[in-house]
Amino acid sequence: MGTQATDGRTSGSDQPCRPLRADAARNREKLLEAATEVFAEHGTEGSLEEIARRAGVGVGTLYRHFPTRACLVEQVYRHSVDEVCAAAPRLLEQLDPFDALATWVDGFVGYVSRKKGMTSALREAMGPDSDAIFADVHERLEGAASLLLGAAQQAGMARTDAEPLDILRSVSGMCMAAAASQDPERTKRVLALVLDGLRYGAPAAEASPRTENLASV
Amino acid sequence: MGTQATDGRTSGSDQPCRPLRADAARNREKLLEAATEVFAEHGTEGSLEEIARRAGVGVGTLYRHFPTRACLVEQVYRHSVDEVCAAAPRLLEQLDPFDALATWVDGFVGYVSRKKGMTSALREAMGPDSDAIFADVHERLEGAASLLLGAAQQAGMARTDAEPLDILRSVSGMCMAAAASQDPERTKRVLALVLDGLRYGAPAAEASPRTENLASV
DNA sequence: GGACTATACGGAGGGTTCCTCCGGTTGTGC
DNA sequence: GCACAACCGGAGGAACCCTCCGTATAGTCC
């Protein structure tokens, strides 16, 4: 559930201040989860009191951890990215390289749709400061994609002329378009298409499409 | 002040229902103006009560005319487009073709910066229905630009290989970038640059840049 | 194990905004 | 000039925002 890299303080500053007290850390985690839910349902404008309620915590606690709505949005966003990135090496241990890639991409779709209004909310609230966040996130996502694609390529299960950014771009682009047309079925179809395209022309090609067996969203 | 094409009912449906009563029409207009102001100042999330207050009208009246925030945003948006489009032929009567074009583009800058958060607010609130609005608006804007550019080209005052969409795209793109960098001076400079570029290579070229005398925003 | 303190918690409360509802007012057609 | 449909205003209940402070507890030192 929790990712190992998320027990930092509220802000991005990495000053070595004393770690959170146990109960505080617990509540922080619960708040983050509740906020993820609420933002997914109602967008970034969802009620903060609702979030506190779902986390089983008073509003005061919420405000102490995240003094600002933007601050909360940022942390939820980072948390979401953490999870996606952390999944990459884990999947690689459990599945064969191509399936790992396919499953990861499926998770990435979830990430993209969850982050829906977050980026614009962040950009609006933090101005130019947001650039640093996005740059960081971008880099980490590319790293994860690179890891998986590289493995699939080395195993001869993905064409060698594809690049990590190709995947990120095409998938996130697809999600935007699909979100606009409100059609989850289409998302699935196009996703399968991209993945098959990725495999097409790979050295070890017995390219019978079998991208159906994704864990569905 | 009012544009001739704006006395329609609240929604986009063009059913020929009886015209608004005189006082209602007045109030509608006042509300639209107030909303334009408030949205420009505080974005699409500006207070509705504040809008009613500025229009010198009760909230009830506001809600009767515009049952939904999205509805109000849409009308303000359309109203804004109406004004920009209606200005084109008028300018063409009053000024020489190139000055008309330059002045219009200057007004267009105002429009772009005013519409700041509106498009995303609309898209969010109305989903796929918003596409029709944007298509319509897009077409009308291109029509206006085409009228002015055509005239300038015929008069030999603008290069002939430019197209209306070039202007719309470059100017609105410029505005976004400029808005991000919070620098109105830069906007002016870049705008002058675009306009001079438009004139460069025109048949009747005594191309001494004189794009300074724009009515400033 | 017990006591002490920095840290964290909860929720009451004052202010703002949202939206609805209905009694009173006014424009319009006859 | 009259009657009525159309319109107006703003009170009021609900939801939300954010702050503040008395209370509870985790961590530490003896």
Side-chain angles (χ1 to χ4, degrees):
Chain A
M1 288 151 204
T3 326
Q4 74 287 15
T6 321
D7 43 39
R9 295 316 288 275
T10 285
S11 164
S13 59
D14 299 352
Q15 43 188 317
C17 47
R18 68 167 51 218
L20 286 176
R21 229 171 66 173
D23 52 349
R26 261 196 313 275
N27 281 338
R28 205 186 116 93
E29 205 63 25
K30 282 192 285 184
L31 280 166
L32 239 27
E33 271 171 40
T36 306
E37 274 182 38
V38 171
F39 287 165
E41 286 171 28
H42 303 98
T44 352
E45 297 303 312
S47 159
L48 297 184
E49 298 201 319
E50 166 83 13
I51 291 174
R53 216 174 301 134
R54 288 205 201 183
V57 147
V59 261
T61 302
L62 188 155
Y63 279 98
R64 199 167 327 100
H65 282 288
F66 311 99
T68 284
R69 171 173 241 117
C71 189
L72 178 56
V73 173
E74 178 191 342
Q75 294 306 317
V76 167
Y77 181 47
R78 295 196 113 110
H79 194 258
S80 175
V81 173
D82 285 344
E83 277 179 352
V84 174
C85 290
R90 204 176 51 227
L91 287 170
L92 217 44
E93 287 174 8
Q94 298 171 347
L95 301 171
D96 81 71
F98 189 85
D99 283 347
L101 178 60
T103 308
W104 185 80
V105 167
D106 196 50
F108 182 69
V109 170
Y111 155 77
V112 173
S113 60
R114 244 174 296 138
K115 81 161 185 178
K116 208 173 31 173
M118 291 197 203
T119 53
S120 54
L122 279 179
R123 202 184 297 281
E124 197 160 325
M126 326 210 331
D129 296 357
S130 58
D131 288 353
I133 303 178
F134 294 135
D136 175 48
V137 163
H138 195 268
E139 189 177 340
R140 284 164 57 203
L141 283 174
E142 190 176 354
S146 179
L147 177 68
L148 289 161
L149 180 60
Q153 285 172 331
Q154 277 208 343
M157 302 172 91
R159 57 202 297 174
T160 52
D161 60 347
E163 294 186 10
L165 262 186
D166 296 343
I167 303 181
L168 263 38
R169 287 261 164 72
S170 61
V171 172
S172 62
M174 185 199 73
C175 288
M176 313 258 195
S181 77
Q182 309 275 27
D183 183 352
E185 273 311 309
R186 151 169 269 130
T187 307
K188 258 189 195 158
R189 285 204 313 274
V190 182
L191 184 57
L193 202 125
V194 170
L195 286 171
D196 283 335
L198 204 56
R199 171 158 39 193
Y200 182 85
E206 41 79 60
S208 63
R210 39 154 199 160
T211 25
E212 348 285 352
N213 62 351
L214 291 172
S216 83
V217 187
Chain B
M1 284 152 207
T3 325
Q4 76 285 14
T6 320
D7 43 39
R9 295 317 287 274
T10 284
S11 164
S13 59
D14 300 351
Q15 43 186 319
C17 48
R18 65 167 53 219
L20 286 176
R21 230 171 67 173
D23 51 349
R26 263 197 311 275
N27 281 338
R28 205 186 117 92
E29 204 62 27
K30 281 191 284 182
L31 280 167
L32 239 27
E33 272 172 38
T36 305
E37 274 182 37
V38 171
F39 287 166
E41 285 171 28
H42 303 100
T44 353
E45 297 303 313
S47 160
L48 297 183
E49 299 204 317
E50 166 82 13
I51 291 174
R53 215 174 302 132
R54 287 206 201 182
V57 146
V59 261
T61 303
L62 188 155
Y63 278 99
R64 198 167 328 101
H65 282 289
F66 311 100
T68 283
R69 172 173 241 118
C71 189
L72 177 57
V73 172
E74 178 191 342
Q75 294 305 317
V76 168
Y77 181 48
R78 295 197 114 109
H79 194 258
S80 176
V81 173
D82 285 344
E83 276 179 352
V84 174
C85 290
R90 203 176 53 227
L91 287 170
L92 217 44
E93 287 174 7
Q94 298 170 346
L95 302 170
D96 82 69
F98 189 84
D99 283 347
L101 177 60
T103 309
W104 186 81
V105 167
D106 196 49
F108 182 69
V109 170
Y111 155 78
V112 173
S113 60
R114 243 175 295 139
K115 81 162 184 176
K116 210 173 27 173
M118 290 198 204
T119 53
S120 55
L122 278 179
R123 202 183 297 279
E124 197 160 326
M126 327 212 327
D129 296 357
S130 57
D131 288 352
I133 303 177
F134 294 136
D136 175 49
V137 163
H138 195 268
E139 189 177 341
R140 284 163 59 202
L141 282 175
E142 190 177 354
S146 178
L147 177 68
L148 288 161
L149 180 59
Q153 285 171 331
Q154 277 208 344
M157 302 174 91
R159 57 202 299 172
T160 52
D161 61 347
E163 296 186 10
L165 262 185
D166 296 343
I167 303 181
L168 263 39
R169 287 261 164 71
S170 61
V171 171
S172 62
M174 184 200 73
C175 287
M176 314 257 194
S181 77
Q182 311 276 25
D183 183 352
E185 273 311 309
R186 151 168 270 130
T187 307
K188 259 190 195 157
R189 286 204 311 275
V190 183
L191 185 57
L193 202 127
V194 170
L195 285 171
D196 283 336
L198 204 56
R199 170 156 44 191
Y200 182 86
E206 39 80 57
S208 62
R210 43 163 191 150
T211 25
E212 346 286 352
N213 61 351
L214 292 171
S216 83
V217 188

